[in-house]
């Protein structure tokens, strides 16, 4: 009884190691889109752990699974005890072979030639030792442009983006930081960060908002706190790319108080001079009109004849004759000289100085 217990404990100690004895070095399930007539390598490299060493040989099986053809598993190629065996009924016997001469040397990969549309399906590689490891490859063979959908393009990480700014870099103003990547598998995600002393991404300062476009960052009311280096990171499921932009807001120019006052003073002086000029012209016109009326009134007193006073002589040059009697007649005494003299002497009392017209 004690011997059986020891054997059971020994078996339980070994079993966990056997469960991971065979391991296939490959990605998860692979998906391949191929053209009719092509050749393809279906990889299945494997590793045997140290606990798997022993007299038992490695067994390898390649199975084709086609959902539209239900039935028993179709083992079209196998390896056991250093012998390669080909199955029947799959149509692959003449077009398939192991890549290595001895698949027992850690590589169970195969090459399938002259692909046909009927080769479309799921291929399983099974490596057996004490446990079984399985690797699957899904193959789609395209016989023409309308036979199967076009395969998706290989995924690419975002292309190196471009960073630039729009707006005035002045304190108190607003600026728009823009970032755009021209390549990469969609969807692309944009994220802005302000670098701390040039290392790593820090938090964005206050006053920043997400713009309308995915790669836009709006900064309002610029201050000295917004100065620094900003990094745009464009990410997709494959990788990421970055670009950087240095932001350095400058002070807003404000006119000096002295210059503003000087402008006000100069404008006031020019306005006053213009107003005085207009006022002087108005006064001169009124004075001239008044003098002309006074001259005409004084000279009209002499229009009846007699010796023309000096002011009337100035007006007589322009032949002003309000009563139909010319000043020339008054000057040469063509009427009653005594009456004219009296009128003219009386007019002297109203004499004014006429301007030279």
């Amino acid at each position: 009884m004690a011997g059986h217990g020891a054997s059971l404990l020994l078996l339980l100690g070994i079993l966990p190691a056997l469960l991971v004895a065979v391991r296939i070095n490959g990605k998860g399930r692979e998906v391949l889109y191929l053209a009719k007539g092509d050749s393809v390598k279906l990889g299945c490299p494997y590793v045997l752990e140290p606990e798997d060493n022993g007299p038992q040989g490695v067994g390898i099986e390649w199975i084709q699974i086609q959902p539209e053809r239900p039935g028993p598993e179709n083992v079209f190629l196998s390896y056991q005890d250093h012998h390669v065996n080909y199955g029947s009924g799959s149509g692959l016997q003449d077009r398939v072979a192991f890549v290595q001469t001895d698949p027992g040397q850690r590589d169970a990969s195969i090459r399938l030639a002259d692909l046909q549309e009927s080769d479309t399906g799921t291929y399983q590689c099974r490596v057996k030792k004490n446990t079984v490891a399985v690797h699957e490859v899904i193959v789609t063979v395209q016989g023409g442009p309308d036979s199967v959908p076009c395969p998706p393009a290989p995924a690419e990480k975002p292309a190196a983006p471009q960073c630039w700014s729009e707006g005035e870099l002045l304190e108190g103003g607003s600026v728009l930081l823009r970032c755009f990547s021209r390549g990469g598998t969609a969807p692309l995600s944009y994220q802005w960060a302000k670098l701390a002393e040039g290392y790593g991404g820090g938090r964005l300062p206050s006053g920043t908002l997400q713009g309308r476009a995915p790669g836009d960052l709006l900064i309002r009311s610029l201050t000295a706190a917004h100065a620094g280096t900003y990094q745009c990171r464009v990410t997709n499921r494959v990788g990421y790319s970055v670009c950087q932009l240095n932001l350095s807001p400058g002070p807003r120019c404000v006119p000096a108080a002295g210059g503003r006052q000087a402008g006000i003073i100069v404008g006031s002086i020019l306005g006053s001079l213009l107003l005085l000029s207009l006022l002087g012209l108005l006064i001169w016109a009124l004075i001239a009109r008044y003098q002309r009326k006074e001259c005409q009134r004084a000279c009209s007193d002499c229009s009846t004849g007699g010796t023309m006073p000096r002011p009337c002589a100035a007006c007589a040059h322009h032949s002003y004759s309000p009563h139909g009697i010319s000043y020339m007649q008054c000057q040469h005494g063509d009427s009653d000289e005594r009456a004219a003299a009296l009128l003219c002497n009386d007019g002297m009392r109203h004499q004014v100085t006429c301007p030279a017209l």
Side-chain angles (χ1 to χ4, degrees):
M1 185 68 177
H4 289 292
S7 300
L8 180 60
L9 292 176
L10 180 61
L11 179 60
L12 292 176
I14 296 175
L15 185 57
L18 296 180
L19 294 178
V20 293
V22 179
R23 177 166 50 88
I24 294 178
N25 288 339
K27 301 177 181 178
R29 177 181 295 179
E30 295 184 69
V31 179
L32 302 177
Y33 292 86
L34 304 166
K36 182 179 179 180
D38 283 353
S39 297
V40 63
K41 175 185 175 181
L42 306 183
C44 186
Y46 61 91
V47 174
L48 297 178
E49 299 295 345
E51 295 83 355
D52 207 31
N53 293 330
Q56 182 180 356
V58 175
I60 301 171
E61 290 181 348
W62 275 94
I63 301 169
Q64 184 187 38
I65 302 173
Q66 294 177 317
E68 68 277 5
R69 297 180 184 178
E73 293 182 342
N74 179 19
V75 180
F76 62 89
L77 186 63
S78 63
Y79 172 84
Q80 187 70 45
D81 297 331
H82 303 286
H83 293 286
V84 176
N85 301 307
Y86 293 91
S88 60
S90 64
L92 301 176
Q93 290 79 9
D94 299 331
R95 299 184 287 115
V96 68
F98 283 105
V99 174
Q100 299 293 335
T101 305
D102 184 3
Q105 301 300 317
R106 310 298 194 270
D107 191 358
S109 303
I110 62 173
R111 185 173 301 279
L112 186 59
D114 191 19
L115 289 171
Q116 305 297 318
E117 293 182 42
S118 59
D119 296 336
T120 298
T122 301
Y123 293 78
Q124 280 190 358
C125 172
R126 298 179 180 179
V127 181
K128 302 178 181 180
K129 183 73 171 181
N130 296 308
T131 57
V132 178
V134 179
H135 178 60
E136 285 189 351
V137 182
I138 299 175
V139 176
T140 300
V141 181
Q142 303 177 68
D146 300 326
S147 59
V148 292
C150 294
E156 296 180 356
K157 77 172 188 177
Q162 294 179 341
C163 294
W164 73 97
S165 64
E166 296 179 0
E168 294 183 348
L169 294 176
L170 298 177
E171 292 185 1
S174 297
V175 65
L176 182 65
L177 306 186
R178 311 204 69 178
C179 176
F180 181 70
S181 175
R182 297 184 179 274
T185 302
L188 300 179
S189 175
Y190 293 83
Q191 184 179 11
W192 280 95
K194 186 174 183 291
L195 302 185
E197 301 297 332
Y199 298 96
R203 293 184 178 180
L204 289 172
S206 60
T208 58
L209 299 172
Q210 174 66 44
R212 294 184 178 179
D216 290 356
L217 180 69
L218 178 62
I219 304 179
R220 294 178 177 176
S221 302
L222 282 170
T223 64
H226 293 108
T229 302
Y230 290 77
Q231 177 178 278
C232 174
R233 182 186 179 105
V234 187
T235 309
N236 65 3
R237 60 187 178 88
V238 180
Y240 70 91
S241 298
V242 299
C243 63
Q244 294 182 358
L245 179 67
N246 187 50
L247 198 63
S248 182
R252 184 176 292 276
C253 297
V254 179
R260 186 165 56 248
Q261 293 179 355
I264 295 174
I265 294 173
V266 172
S268 301
I269 292 175
L270 293 178
S272 300
L273 291 177
L274 179 60
L275 182 61
L276 290 175
S277 300
L278 294 175
L279 185 60
L281 289 175
L282 179 61
I283 294 175
W284 178 84
L286 293 175
I287 292 175
R289 181 179 180 184
Y290 173 78
Q291 289 180 346
R292 186 165 55 251
K293 286 185 177 181
E294 286 295 320
C295 179
Q296 292 171 357
R297 185 183 63 80
C299 292
S300 65
D301 295 339
C302 303
S303 61
T304 55
T307 302
M308 185 177 295
R310 187 179 186 85
C312 295
C315 297
H317 181 69
H318 295 278
S319 300
Y320 178 76
S321 180
H323 301 290
I325 302 174
S326 69
Y327 288 118
M328 298 302 296
Q329 292 174 342
C330 180
Q331 186 177 12
H332 294 294
D334 292 337
S335 62
D336 185 26
E337 293 183 359
R338 294 183 63 184
L342 291 174
L343 291 172
C344 289
N345 289 334
D346 183 66
M348 287 293 292
R349 290 194 298 269
H350 304 285
Q351 178 177 328
V352 295
T353 303
C354 297
L357 302 175

